[in-house]
Amino acid sequence: MARRRRKNRRKDGTTAPLRLTSMMDILTVLLLFLLKSFVVEGEVITPVPGVDLPESSSDAAPQASVVVAIFDNTVMLDGQMVTRLENGSSDDGLLIAPLADRLNQTRAKELEIAQLRGEDVDYSPKIAIQGDRDISFEVLERVMYTCNQSGFGDIALAVIGAS
Amino acid sequence: MNARHSLGRSFRGLVENDLDIMPLMNLFVALIPMLLISAVFLNVTVIEMNAPPEGMADDQEQKAVEPLHLAVTIREDFFVIEGNKLDKSVIDRRDDDPESALAAALAAVVAAHPGNRDVMIISEARTRYDEIITVMDVSRAAGLPSASLLGAE
């Protein structure tokens, strides 16, 4: 121990500073790895908290789209709660009126942006549904129907892909 | 050279300094937790959906038209495979590994009708989303990548 302590001392008696080079190497690699995870192909969908997505063998990359999350009969649009379905059914048939209103607003806004960019000809509204694995088809069907009625015909179901 | 010689003594007296990387370290220490928090480690993918063929929502029982209209119905206890020119087959879900039996049955249909890529998955109101995704996976693996969802009457 004494010998080692003596080794760390310089000839002039001053203590050698902590060498941070190797730690810097690790941090640099970690930083690059984390930055790389943001620059993946396609769009990254973050699961909405509270939604337990089902697992699937699908490997299709998600595209930039509006996200509807469904869990415990609660419907959220882009992270904001829209409505709560009572027992998954209503007198309005399959249409979920509050969701339809919000989707129409979103579509109008997206169309306006596409027009400003001059991309309105190619504009096709896309939607990704993040459904909890335990929701019933009854709820899913109503959400899909409402999306379709609001002009979001290009529907994708978000799942946890095979890694 | 002469100048260097003349400075030689003062060079010898200097202490070798390491590069001061502490500010960079501070930056990294702040950046890395921030990136770790926002990093997505779950591989979220999607399954593209198709709208069911025209008219099929109203008359699922009508199977006399030309296309195959292959349908897999998810009942509580059974999977039912039916379609035009197809014998109806029923798979008991209480058996061991009903998904493999479904995969085999669908693979047989695909082998008999290689041109068909579509399948309709008909679910009951109470069918869980997880079960629907499983059937879609089985269908895709069997060679039916284009799935559409329908509700059972």
Side-chain angles (χ1 to χ4, degrees):
Chain A
M1 257 322 253
R3 194 178 298 163
R4 186 176 292 173
R5 217 175 292 143
R6 226 177 295 134
K7 251 187 182 177
N8 287 342
R9 282 178 183 275
R10 293 189 172 186
K11 281 177 188 167
D12 57 0
T14 56
T15 318
L18 187 67
R19 298 259 175 212
L20 294 171
T21 315
S22 49
M23 192 178 173
M24 282 296 296
D25 290 347
I26 295 168
L27 290 180
T28 308
V29 170
L30 197 60
L31 188 70
L32 289 175
F33 166 77
L34 289 170
L35 285 173
K36 173 77 175 67
S37 71
F38 284 93
V39 196
V40 290
E41 274 180 41
E43 189 77 9
V44 173
I45 291 186
T46 311
V48 173
V51 177
D52 185 11
L53 293 176
E55 283 158 27
S56 167
S57 58
S58 170
D59 57 357
Q63 291 181 321
S65 55
V66 176
V67 174
V68 174
I70 321 161
F71 60 99
D72 296 337
N73 286 353
T74 303
V75 181
M76 294 175 82
L77 179 68
D78 280 341
Q80 291 183 324
M81 186 174 159
V82 175
T83 186
R84 205 174 151 75
L85 304 174
E86 294 304 326
N87 298 322
S89 61
S90 107
D91 297 334
D92 304 338
L94 290 174
L95 193 79
I96 305 168
L99 179 62
D101 290 345
R102 295 284 296 275
L103 284 172
N104 287 332
Q105 287 170 16
T106 306
R107 194 165 66 93
K109 215 178 286 177
E110 281 195 352
L111 187 61
E112 201 177 322
I113 293 167
Q115 278 169 344
L116 288 172
R117 286 179 172 176
E119 296 168 355
D120 52 318
V121 181
D122 302 327
Y123 174 68
S124 71
K126 293 183 178 65
I127 201 155
I129 296 177
Q130 291 194 16
D132 190 278
R133 61 172 68 213
D134 289 325
I135 62 167
S136 63
F137 177 71
E138 191 177 21
V139 176
L140 180 69
E141 186 183 29
R142 291 191 64 197
V143 170
M144 288 178 74
Y145 177 80
T146 306
C147 293
N148 228 323
Q149 292 298 305
S150 306
F152 287 86
D154 195 345
I155 300 173
L157 302 176
V159 289
I160 301 292
S163 52
Chain B
M1 196 65 181
N2 283 342
R4 185 132 191 204
H5 258 295
S6 64
L7 285 171
R9 188 169 292 171
S10 54
F11 267 127
R12 235 174 282 136
L14 282 174
V15 179
E16 232 179 85
N17 267 329
D18 282 333
L19 189 64
D20 187 11
I21 48 175
M22 285 311 284
L24 196 61
M25 279 285 295
N26 293 337
L27 179 71
F28 276 20
V29 167
L31 259 179
I32 287 173
M34 195 194 79
L35 289 170
L36 276 172
I37 288 166
S38 52
V40 179
F41 294 103
L42 279 175
N43 179 25
V44 178
T45 57
V46 293
I47 302 174
E48 296 289 342
M49 290 305 306
N50 298 319
E54 276 301 308
M56 285 310 291
D58 302 325
D59 54 357
Q60 294 160 29
E61 301 304 319
Q62 186 191 336
K63 307 281 193 234
V65 280
E66 273 308 302
L68 184 63
H69 283 321
L70 175 63
V72 178
T73 308
I74 309 171
R75 300 276 179 207
E76 199 177 338
D77 297 329
F78 301 98
F79 290 127
V80 183
I81 302 172
E82 51 196 333
N84 289 322
K85 308 167 209 163
L86 273 184
D87 293 332
K88 184 174 174 176
S89 61
V90 178
I91 295 160
D92 197 335
R93 294 182 66 186
R94 291 162 297 189
D95 290 348
D96 287 340
D97 205 4
E99 282 82 20
S100 296
L102 178 66
L106 287 176
V109 173
V110 170
H113 302 87
N116 180 61
R117 314 286 287 167
D118 304 328
V119 61
M120 283 178 291
I121 296 168
I122 303 171
S123 313
E124 291 178 327
R126 295 281 156 216
T127 306
R128 286 174 63 237
Y129 182 46
D130 200 19
E131 296 169 44
I132 299 168
I133 296 292
T134 304
V135 172
M136 289 175 93
D137 280 354
V138 169
S139 307
R140 196 170 45 252
L144 300 161
S146 180
S148 47
L149 293 182
L150 277 178
E153 290 294 313

